[in-house]
Amino acid sequence: LSAEEIRRMREAWGIDQKQAAAIFGGGPVAFSKYENNDVMQSEGMDKLLRAAWYAPFRVMPRHRLCAIQPSGR
């Protein structure tokens, strides 16, 4: 996935970068680095993000999704 694709996916989910890191891992500033082309996500992270895009409730535990408040609230 490109940096722009990762940003668009995260925004479509309505979560900020910190929340994305809490769900997917990678550290507290991982998504900032991915989205700014500072580092390339691992192959495993890339696959996880793709899977979450196509089947979010199969990839992301529901209790984690329910605990996350949308950005800006």
Side-chain angles (χ1 to χ4, degrees):
L1 296 166
S2 71
E4 181 65 19
E5 289 170 319
I6 293 172
R7 183 189 60 76
R8 278 192 242 151
M9 290 167 75
R10 181 185 55 74
E11 289 176 348
W13 288 321
I15 58 175
D16 63 25
Q17 292 173 340
K18 185 177 176 183
Q19 292 167 325
I23 294 169
F24 296 104
V29 295
F31 279 79
S32 174
K33 290 181 178 183
Y34 301 154
E35 293 175 20
N36 289 307
N37 275 324
D38 292 338
V39 298
M40 179 67 105
Q41 69 277 11
S42 68
E43 183 179 347
M45 178 64 79
D46 193 87
K47 288 179 180 181
L48 179 59
L49 292 171
R50 289 173 190 270
W53 183 251
Y54 291 106
F57 289 106
R58 292 180 183 236
V59 174
M60 295 184 276
R62 287 190 173 114
H63 69 277
R64 289 185 103 175
L65 286 174
C66 293
I68 295 192
Q69 297 297 314
S71 304
R73 286 191 180 179

